[in-house]
Amino acid sequence: MKNTLLLILVLLSLNVCSQDFISSKVSFKDTILDENRKSPFDYVDPFIGTGGDGHTYPGAVIPFGMVQLSPDTDMKSYHESYNWCAGYQYGDSSIIGFSHTHFSGTGHSDLGDILIMPTAGKLRTKSGTKNNPDLGYRSRFSHKNETASPGYYSVKLDDYNIQAELTATNRVGFHKYTFPKTDSAHIILDLLHSIYNYDGKVIWSSIRVENDTLVTGYRQTRGWARNRSVYFAIVFSKAFDSYGFDKDDESMYGYRKTDNYIYEKPEVNGKKLIAFFNFKTKEEEIIEVKVGISAVSAEGALNNLKTEIPTWNFNKVKLVAENQWQKELSKIIIEGTDRDKAIFYTSVYHTMLAPVNYMDVDGKYRGLDQNIHTANDFTNYTIYSLWDTYRATHPLFTIIQPEKVSDMVKSMLAHYDQSVHHILPVWSFHNNETWCMIGYHAVPVIADAYLKGIRNYDVEKAYEAMISSATYENYDGLDYYMELGFVPIDKENEGASKTLEYAYDDFTIYKVAKEMGKDDDFKKFENRARNYKNIFDKETNFMRAKKIDGSWNEPFDPLYSKYGGDYTEGNAWQYTWYVPQDVQGLINLMGGREKFVEKLDSLFIVEAHDEKYHEVEDISGLIGQYAHGNEPSQHIAYLYNYAAMPWKTQQRIHQIMNNLFDDTPYGICGNEDCGQMSAWYIFSSMGFYPVCPGSNEYVIGSPCIEKATINLDNGNKFEMTADRLSEKNIYIQSVKLNGKNYDKSYITHDDIINGGKLIFRMGRKPNKKWGIKNADLPYSMTKAGAQ
Amino acid sequence: MKNTLLLILVLLSLNVCSQDFISSKVSFKDTILDENRKSPFDYVDPFIGTGGDGHTYPGAVIPFGMVQLSPDTDMKSYHESYNWCAGYQYGDSSIIGFSHTHFSGTGHSDLGDILIMPTAGKLRTKSGTKNNPDLGYRSRFSHKNETASPGYYSVKLDDYNIQAELTATNRVGFHKYTFPKTDSAHIILDLLHSIYNYDGKVIWSSIRVENDTLVTGYRQTRGWARNRSVYFAIVFSKAFDSYGFDKDDESMYGYRKTDNYIYEKPEVNGKKLIAFFNFKTKEEEIIEVKVGISAVSAEGALNNLKTEIPTWNFNKVKLVAENQWQKELSKIIIEGTDRDKAIFYTSVYHTMLAPVNYMDVDGKYRGLDQNIHTANDFTNYTIYSLWDTYRATHPLFTIIQPEKVSDMVKSMLAHYDQSVHHILPVWSFHNNETWCMIGYHAVPVIADAYLKGIRNYDVEKAYEAMISSATYENYDGLDYYMELGFVPIDKENEGASKTLEYAYDDFTIYKVAKEMGKDDDFKKFENRARNYKNIFDKETNFMRAKKIDGSWNEPFDPLYSKYGGDYTEGNAWQYTWYVPQDVQGLINLMGGREKFVEKLDSLFIVEAHDEKYHEVEDISGLIGQYAHGNEPSQHIAYLYNYAAMPWKTQQRIHQIMNNLFDDTPYGICGNEDCGQMSAWYIFSSMGFYPVCPGSNEYVIGSPCIEKATINLDNGNKFEMTADRLSEKNIYIQSVKLNGKNYDKSYITHDDIINGGKLIFRMGRKPNKKWGIKNADLPYSMTKAGAQ
């Protein structure tokens, strides 16, 4: 779908009924198409990030959709599956099938629910191996026969000469398979298939063949999520001639068995259910399959299916999906090179693949307490990769998705209500808390929204939930933290990182408490926000893990990292900078700006010693010790601003942009992480970044695109222009905001939301005088100049 | 609770609010108390049947209640658990704890959900063994410290000096534990415990410690039912000081562990969850525990709990339960010996332990399709041991529970609606079909109700469901049966029994079809009802298994039985008589009355060869080859009536009554089978029995009690009097019905329902002239005298 004009014409001729579609405010022709007559949509390449450590998937999905229908190329065991977190790796040459749920960009995984695969010829009910696809039903494919665009994916399955096309609505995956002429066409339904697979992951599953076009059931897994069920309803466009099951099923009761299969058994329960449905097809005969999913019940899944896709019109569903993307992708329009646009718009695309809708069309959803709840006044969202996304993804949403921000807060408050711990989500998805990563970073997400004036939820309850999360003694050493002011490493692993991140989270409570007039709390949390100081070692000039007796953890090697060590997916070099709330305080600890900058320079230079953290897969995208591929580093390049040397930030930003992003499948240097890496790119390419959510500031870096226009929901526009930007003109010479010279090295949220024009004048040499006065530096708890 | 007068006084003084209780129409003082000033309630002994093969349980339950709260004494593996189908064996000397769901009298099992056990002293989280109770938390007990009455159970747990008392409402178990003084009182919650236990039976379970008095969760099992979840909510009357879990739990995430346990972890998921709650108690301190259960959700369980038992008043709940029993037990009032009354009223009690309620207080229940449904206009029941209970239990319900009969039919029609097979239940419980036993015996249950005029349900749908069940090709050789007129043993096991039972079931459809004017169907099913003839072997004079080529299965031994052989839990001797719809046809096949009676006499004489069916545990209660302990024999003693020799029936009935029933724990000679054995006793002791449900007739045997008054819901009374009955006066001399001499050897359903008086005059010698004219014989499809 590369020709948008054609798309529009087709759309107009189809009388598509979706309200989303009809009510679209964007006039494609006038607003979206660029000089190449291409829209943002046309530049999105879902393959970006599908190679290497990006962990994105190329499949079909709508913005924030419950269904992520995508090909899986491998199903690795628990300990080997890092590379296949999204089910797909660009380097693979065979496809197992198409499953309906995926994480975008994560470094831990699960999902891959309800895999469907069309085959022809000899029936195979095991998936086979990458080395020998012929052992199973998987098929070879090549990228030349594979296309992907927002809401659509297509591939030719070479082993079977079947063309597979996918599209989706919110809760329904739509498969279109074009078969060759054959007496033995099959559609496989594999409920054993799973991302992050291991023996025993499927707790139980059930298939009911309701009639010769409708199949329902569920599967329940104990993966990363320990208590997760996906119910499904599958409708075929053509009645199957016969059906059966792989005999390895632990079945409920025995029917007559023939050869290796069990036939015509309309209800099976087991842990290894793999079903097949047989057809005869004519040359180029199309069989379509709609798969509704639900966390509530099979009834809910069928209701979702019938409501969202009542008819058989693949193209119409695809066009509705594409239009939803057009609308979302038009929220920021940029000018720049084709490469810029590909990376930028794909980044925007990637920020809208999580959180995802998690409720049925009737508003019912399964809560963290496993009970069925109804979301009466909000859209319930799930997949909160908060350790990643509180940094830039959620702040981006405050700009381009303000309505969804309130719903996300409401979803997190529902989680809080349903939590037996009475705390906000940590890393949650599909009504499960995984307890993955550290911190209580739902707190800065809510605080950031609140402080920016997004308050369409129960603010008192939100406040209560933040306090409750920050004071839950049983959580990850919080009891010690509250008593001692740091998390002692001999009592709780990763104590150094936890201390730093708690202190930042506490800062955001301090800001909210102050705003809300909670006098007692704000002082308490203001103090807690300075707890980072308790683990700064003046001798080594690093943040370090401290023991309960106050001594440092030994031996100490600032390069060393391991899971469960002193730091979280990082080392002392990377974590020492984690004081976004008080960079000036850190500068002071380090002995002033000069020493701070010297050390910061070193970060980008100290040689990487891969063997020092070879176990920590997440540390990637290295420049010296700076690891752009993982979150703890992602704010660091902006810290020069605080030391009044913004030109060094400008230089580093361009270095990162040029070296660690490209528009190929391998173009994301580390886990995309549910939009965080992309949000970093979106902000940074526009020239500013939310170093410290909760401060309402965006620290100015250096723009990497010529122009960006943010079309705000309130009708305002915020335009960024980078005059004279070129490969060499990477340094800010001067800035104008709304026509006036602007010397601060940050802008505020209001500056954006109120609309306006931000003009950077770029040049080849640094302007070392811009943005360096104390009054012009970004926010720190400690005032610049003070000790 | 042996003093009913006291009970009544206490009830009156308590102002019990239950509507059931207040609205009771029975005036205890006038109607119920006998010359001993005892009511039916006082004669019930729940221990009858708890020893040997009876498989009843002694615990606390209300009539048809969802909760069956009872002690479990053993938890055997799948293959060894026959004796512990109800969780309890009278011969055992230690109790594991008290679980909330039990089958009454079955020969296959499951359940034993949500076990609670109070202990004191050293904490143990494994249950221990019968040989060495000290290895676990189980406790020794003795029967002298154990009491049971309807709705109440009490036992002293000797190892801990704890008095445990139990009572129940429909959906809530109420535990009252009186502790000694101790610093280490514990209440164990064992979700691993299960009846019919085996490794892997618990699929998944979850415990949430909501606060220090409320615990919720669920457990999901794949036992006999392959897809079953029980949700629970547990409320303690006193806050526990601490809590924890056995460390063998496969837990969701790790907290600090101390010694062998995991403490203070408010949410765990796993397959082996055993929790403990710790208390300090004073001497004789009472801790009460309420446990609500639900098949829908933990929320539903809590709602059930709060609705049914909002306060802490154990005695009140117990009294309400007892009153419900008083009401039900007063439906038939008898005169006779204390022994007669103990057996009779306990039998009535046992007929009301299944089916059981299966929906929450808000009407929601989990259906066979695993979806949540709402029973808007009926009470949903589960536990349908239909192969057993279609014979006499359900016919008894048509007399004393007509309202519940309609609800049971509606429940079975809901099952039909939710069945992917589109058939009625076979052996179903807790939204699962077990496919246990043979036949489609929901059909005669519905047919019997319909033909008796109980039609408060969608009769057209009921008819459709009956036809659908009788024509479902994939079920147990029905395809062959429909084609060949018998089930060929080389294609389907137990083909002889299946042919016979299908033919009987078909007879009931024939009767309904005729009544409804379904002309085509009635002829078809009339023909099918005669299919029994296809497997009668004139040479051996036995019903035999036939092969698809028409030859008999060889070798043939009429004594031999094995599971999955030619017959179902029986041999040729036992199954040959299974033609209740056409006994005259069988007489004809056998060559006339003389040969028939000769063979029938032999049945009771041929020596039992235990080694011929030692594997078939269900064959028990033997008189010759007659096995009263299992259902295939239970109509046979009545068949002499059809051969015009009713005095032989009279003799056999008294022989069976006197030899195979008593009022001790070992008083039931075979599986009580969800009321079937008891219904046999109730009918037979009153002098008549429904040999052929669907005929609307009850064949007269010989009364064994002096008088019985059935208090019908329509206000009528039906009185049976056995004049001159004594140990030796077992033969009917003459009969009067409503004052007129009565020579028929059966009565009709209308005779009972219209009210009236049936007077038997008994004597020492048979009156061989009574009940022998062809016109006076019970119904057969083939007319007496015809060939």
Side-chain angles (χ1 to χ4, degrees), chain B residues 659-683:
Chain B
N659 292 304
L660 297 173
F661 290 90
D662 68 42
D663 58 353
T664 73
Y666 298 88
I668 301 178
C669 68
N671 301 164
E672 200 283 332
D673 280 328
C674 292
Q676 168 56 24
M677 185 71 96
S678 295
W680 189 95
Y681 184 88
I682 293 163
F683 275 120

Side-chain angles (χ1 to χ4, degrees), chain B residues 332 343-344 346-349 351 396 400 657 675 677-688 705:
Chain B
I332 309 179
I343 300 175
F344 189 93
T346 303
S347 293
V348 176
Y349 173 78
T351 63
L396 179 67
I400 63 171
M657 284 285 184
M677 185 71 96
S678 295
W680 189 95
Y681 184 88
I682 293 163
F683 275 120
S684 294
S685 66
M686 294 193 295
F688 47 89
I705 50 177

